[in-house]
Structure formats: C-alpha cells, structure tokens
Amino acid sequence: MDGKGFETDGLVKRFGRTTAADGVSLSAPRGHVLGLLGPNGAGKTTIVRVLATLLRPDAGQVRVAGIDVRRDPAQVRRRIALSGQHTSVDNELSGRSNLVMIGRLLDLGGHDARRRADELLSRFGLDDAADRPVATYSGGMRRRLDLAASLVGRPEVMFLDEPSVGLDPGKRDELWQMIRGLAQDGVTVLLTTQYLEEADALADDITVIGNGRVIASGTPADLKREVGGHTIVLRPADVSDLDPAAAIVARVAGREPDRSRRHELIVPVAGDAEFFEITAQLRGHGIEVSELAFRLPSLDEVFLSLTGTSTTDAKDVA
Ligand SMILES: Nc1ncnc2c1ncn2[C@@H]1O[C@H](COP(=O)(O)OP(=O)(O)OP(=O)(O)O)[C@@H](O)[C@H]1O
Ligand SMILES: [Mg+2]
C-alpha cells in the first residue's frame, strides 16, 4: 500500500498464553475510515497499539503510511495520532496552553505552535473555553480537546479507540462530523467502537474480529448481505390490532415476532414473498398500519449473528 493508509498482514500478538491477535489482516487506503468491531477482549486495542508502535508484533507485516512499524517506529510515530480512553492533556493548563505546548514538543516554532493551536481551537469549537484550565471542561469538551491535541502534528493516520464512549448524542454527532472532516482531508482513520450505528455511519469498510481473528470484513452493506435475509418491521395504526397482526406475522413468517419494542412487531424473513403475503393478509383483515418496512438486517443484527454476542451485552460488560 504505497506510502498510504495502513495495513496488517497475518499480525500475531501474544501476551503469555493469550493470543490477542491471531493472524489479523486488515487495511485501509488513504482517506478511508476502517471500523474495527468485536466484543470485549476480541483484540481491538491490541491491534491499535501494534499499529501505533506501542507494542511490537510477534509475527506478520504491519505498515503504516507505507512504513514498516518494526523497521522504523520513530518515522511511523511522526505520521500518526492515537486517541484513546486515557488522554494526555494537562488539567491545570488551559486548552490553548496544552495545544501550544504539544506544538513546541513537536518542534514547531512559537509562532507556528500558537497559530496551529488557534486553528484547532476554532475548528473544535473551543474558542470560548480556550483560556480556561482543562479541569473546568465538560466531558465532551475534553474529548474535543483530546482530538485537537492529537491533530497538532498533522497526522496522516489516526487511531481512535472507542472515541464516543460517554458522549451524549449531540456531542457524538459533532464527533462524527469531525471524523468525516478528517477523512475528507485525506487522513486515514482506524476507529474501534462498540456502537454498530457509529460504524455504519462512519466506516467505509468494517473488519469484525473475535478472539483475535478476523470473522468478516467488507462494506457495511456487504456484511448485511452476507448474513442474509431481511427484516420486517410492522406497527399497526391501532394498538388493539397488535395481537391479530402478530398472529398473521407469526403464521406467515413461521416464527413469533419480536415484541420488545412497544407497539412494534419485528420478524426476520427469508425474502419478499413473506412481506407481500403479510401485507395481503393485513388488508384482508382490515388492519391498517402506520409503519411497515422490509429492510436488510441492521448492523446490530449482523454483529449478533457473526459473534454470538449482542452489542448491548458487550456494553454492559464494558
Ligand atoms: N498487556 C496485556 N497483558 C496481558 N494480556 C493482555 C494485555 N493486553 C491485552 N491482553 C489480553 O488480550 C486480549 C485482547 O485484549 P484487547 O484489550 O486488545 O481487547 P479489546 O477488543 O480492545 O477489548 P475491549 O472491547 O474490552 O476494549 C484479552 O484477552 C486481554 O485480556
Ligand atoms: Mg479495547
């Protein structure tokens, strides 16, 4: 992958008896976002740490921005940024001082370091808070400052390990916009996440791992097709029609619909024949619907089918 993006080929990393990465091959070309998904303990952080030169691989090829991580880790470090759960900003200093200091550490002159800090503060909506100590920042502001800090050195490749944990939906949307912006600027991004919706919204490609091995990879749409089947979602206009509608759905689909969402019936089916049959029978019984969908499975459903773990379970453990 000529000087662009990142790539692992047969990556192995062991910790004693645990093989955290067991022959992992994945890649992303320049400017792409790769989503790395897997249940707790699957090996995501290990892979990120090997790519970021914080851990040495035991076997396999690992190239970042075209450079072999074993041959020239210092050169790799100059071209990457890593943003994880543990942030490195100083609480006592203001957001601006943190960014200027990082610029100076990266050998920018005083003028350039201040200019870069200003640029990033305004890009991340931190102008107003720029001169307050970081200790006074909210969680979302800290996360933005952390991202800004990792961008001071204009990285070519960025590793984001579960970046949206603990953000409320509004802040998470802002983060997503920033990640999209990075990719548009040509930065290659590896994103690990427990949120399938996040991978679906951001990733060009997804690699699913379990127990250190790649289980599946492809675009979000590829993965949904691979798992196969479709899902019908039905909401009767009148709540009192829920039971008769469920009976029709059960009869046609050959299984009881999921009723865990209020006033909604969800059932997996093999193809559109069942969908048309259900529609016809609802009509025949005079049942009106306010919502009726025939769709590919959600990425959550794909994840469950691939890993045997639902993401909701995974989040409970985390
Ligand atoms: N430094 C270490 N020493 C020993 N074992 C480790 C170390 N780091 C990771 N492991 C083990 O390697 C496996 C993969 O861990 P890793 O942190 O990469 O998983 P993960 O996919 O990031 O999980 P999570 O979703 O919980 O963050 C686990 O079994 C873990 O216990
Ligand atoms: Mg992890």
Side-chain angles (χ1 to χ4, degrees), residues 44-46 85 161-162 192:
K44 302 179 297 292
T45 297
T46 301
Q85 286 96 330
D161 198 3
E162 306 206 21
T192 80

Side-chain angles (χ1 to χ4, degrees), residues 13-16 18-21 36-49 55 85 161-162 192-194 209 211-212 314 317-318:
K13 180 67 200 177
R14 295 184 198 92
F15 297 106
T18 308
T19 305
L36 183 59
L37 302 181
N40 291 127
K44 302 179 297 292
T45 297
T46 301
I47 294 166
V48 166
R49 290 172 60 81
L55 287 172
Q85 286 96 330
D161 198 3
E162 306 206 21
T192 80
T193 179
Q194 303 268 2
I209 58 166
N211 290 319
V317 177

Side-chain angles (χ1 to χ4, degrees), residues 158-234:
M158 176 124 197
F159 303 111
L160 299 167
D161 198 3
E162 306 206 21
S164 60
V165 169
L167 295 186
D168 65 45
K171 292 290 175 292
R172 196 199 54 184
D173 286 348
E174 284 174 17
L175 176 82
W176 287 6
Q177 281 309 114
M178 284 166 211
I179 294 173
R180 287 197 191 99
L182 289 177
Q184 269 155 21
D185 291 348
V187 178
T188 312
V189 178
L190 176 67
L191 169 82
T192 80
T193 179
Q194 303 268 2
Y195 305 106
L196 280 299
E197 199 194 343
E198 178 161 87
D200 215 357
L202 291 175
D204 296 294
D205 289 294
I206 289 176
T207 297
V208 182
I209 58 166
N211 290 319
R213 290 170 193 255
V214 174
I215 300 173
S217 60
T219 63
D222 286 342
L223 293 181
K224 290 172 188 175
R225 270 195 297 272
E226 203 171 298
V227 167
H230 282 78
T231 299
I232 292 175
V233 182
L234 164 70

